[in-house]
Amino acid sequence: MKILLADDDADRARYLMRLLARDSSVQVAAIEPGMLLADAVVAHMPDVVLVDMTRPDRDALEGLRQLSATRPHPVVLFVDEDDPGFMQEAIDAGVCSYNVGSVTPAEVKPVLRAAVALFRRHLQTHQALTAAESRLRERDVVDRAKAILIRTRKLSEPEAYRWLRREAMASARRIPEIALTVVQAHAKETP
Amino acid sequence: MTSPVRLGLLRLTDSAPAVLADAEGLYAAAGLDVALQVEPSWANVADKLAWGKLDAAIMLPPLALAAAAGLRGMRTRLHVTMGISQGGNAVVVGRAAAAALPATPLDAAAAGRALGVWLRDQASPPRFAVVHVFSTHNLLLRHWLAACGVDPDRDIETVVVPPERVVAALEAGQIAGFCAGAPWGDYAAETGAGRVLLGSSAIRPRHPEKCLAVSAAWAGQRPEAAKALTVALYRAQHLCDRPDRAPALAALMASRLGLPESATRAALPGGSGPEQIGFAVAARLDPTDALWFLREMRRWGWLDAGQDIAALAAETYRPATLLEA
């Protein structure tokens, strides 16, 4: 079975290729950077195409049967109607699969399952990083707000923090949000 | 506390009612909490509607019908509850074809004949891009070419390129022309990548363009929210139709969706482009439009002969939602 992998994330693609290549019956090719997906499918003639759903040009695959009279096999989105939970997981993880040749769902599903697991792990790492970055930014905002309160209201540091916490509880918002309004109001007063 | 309505859209000028309703607080006024989700492609919108990751979306009517007919993966129960826009697409040719065509403005028939002469002069069929196989753009382009004696299956090669990439593809010489929605036609003209040969209303006057499609399962669970959504968008459509508000609307679309501002302005009411989008005029659905799309799809052999198109149109098009709301 020949698989074409269309993923612009080089690290993820490399890892997934290694993972899939452990199965000796599987041949994996990656799309060349800058190549149109439809052209890559014609060039590689894969049985299965694994696609990062955020690639806008994956839409090109949906028209291949209608758009080309020279291809004997239609390109169809892999869908497991009996396992909607699995399809939702795949969409959540951001990967989908198209069957090109005469492969069966039983052959495709393990491949897509491996891709879903990898994409999900990648997504979690990415989200953890984003959350960490935003926590760092939030801590910076809270520190600046505390400094402003200490200066303008003559509070000690613990008092400044308690002030922020009280305001947050009173308005059912998070402390960094309150801190941001303090920083913004201060910036407006002291141009 | 109900969860927010997840409304999908693409980076296009005719997404304006969905974006403006958010900016003007029209969703909240209709009692709705709406989360806009900008999607990278039409297939993403269709898949997320099918698998419950979107509740509603600004959609291409032929794609909604194709998804409901099971032409791309699983049969998806969708309801089209209102029209969002009318017209606004552009047929654009790159510099090679533009140089070979008369420089004067051409009507649809003359443009098609002239393009046909150029097409048949080429060694191999030039590539034209559409934004999805089941798009209004593809059906209109094919309809126009066929009416002008051009065989859309033999005289051109059709490829699918997402709307936000067509201008780059034209500039790079990957395609000879395209049919895509605003702002990309006017943007191609502004950047010198191509020439707008005609607006899509020259092919089919007052043609419906985008619609609101909702997941039938979601509409069944939250019928009041489905109605309220049409109300909010209908109010937004009236604001989008006002030429005096168009500059601010173009600026909003540029900041929220990253669209090129002047090309966005060109296709809004009162704009300077070859064609302007109509919004509220498109709101009331005409089921005969669904039949037109389905007949064109059948004409090109995309629908099985056994498909009951009248039943599919009636099941999918739900003009009563807006009327009741």
Side-chain angles (χ1 to χ4, degrees), chain A residues 8 34-36 38-39 53-63 65-67 77 79-81 83-85 87-89 91-92 96 98, chain B residues 40-44 47-48 51-53 63 71-75 127 131-134 138 142 153 157-162 164-165 174 302:
Chain A
D8 282 336
M35 196 170 193
L36 287 176
D39 290 340
M53 280 183 64
T54 62
R55 269 187 89 95
D57 68 348
R58 85 160 163 121
D59 285 27
L61 296 178
E62 312 218 326
R65 178 178 60 161
Q66 285 82 5
L67 296 177
L77 180 68
V79 168
D80 190 341
E81 293 192 32
D83 196 348
M87 293 309 296
Q88 285 176 359
E89 273 179 46
I91 290 174
D92 268 343
C96 64
Y98 286 82
Chain B
S41 80
W42 289 115
N44 261 33
D47 285 337
K48 289 189 173 183
W51 300 103
K53 298 293 163 188
L63 180 55
L71 295 184
R72 54 167 307 281
M74 188 180 68
R75 284 179 86 90
R127 280 183 158 190
V131 297
H132 192 276
V133 61
F134 299 119
N138 196 16
R142 296 174 70 91
D153 284 316
E157 183 195 348
T158 312
V159 295
V160 172
V161 176
E164 59 185 64
R165 294 209 183 164
Q174 290 172 322
W302 303 346

Side-chain angles (χ1 to χ4, degrees), chain A residues 88-149:
Chain A
Q88 285 176 359
E89 273 179 46
I91 290 174
D92 268 343
V95 61
C96 64
S97 174
Y98 286 82
N99 296 2
V100 188
S102 46
V103 280
T104 64
E107 293 173 281
V108 178
K109 206 167 169 184
V111 171
L112 183 56
R113 187 175 283 129
V116 167
L118 185 68
F119 269 66
R120 194 201 286 132
R121 205 154 63 229
H122 195 269
L123 197 65
Q124 282 163 351
T125 313
H126 181 74
Q127 281 165 349
L129 278 173
T130 316
E133 270 172 28
S134 107
R135 265 199 307 278
L136 281 175
R137 272 198 307 273
E138 284 178 356
R139 206 159 60 198
D140 179 48
V141 171
V142 172
D143 284 345
R144 279 163 58 198
K146 278 196 297 193
I148 291 166
L149 292 172

Side-chain angles (χ1 to χ4, degrees), chain B residues 9-74:
Chain B
L9 51 95
L10 259 60
R11 294 179 54 223
L12 291 165
T13 308
D14 47 21
S15 297
V19 175
L20 190 70
D22 187 55
E24 295 279 332
L26 299 176
Y27 296 127
L32 287 176
D33 179 12
V34 172
L36 298 182
Q37 283 191 31
V38 182
E39 295 292 337
S41 80
W42 289 115
N44 261 33
V45 171
D47 285 337
K48 289 189 173 183
L49 280 173
W51 300 103
K53 298 293 163 188
L54 284 174
D55 304 312
I58 309 298
M59 188 64 150
L60 298 162
L63 180 55
L65 292 162
L71 295 184
R72 54 167 307 281
M74 188 180 68

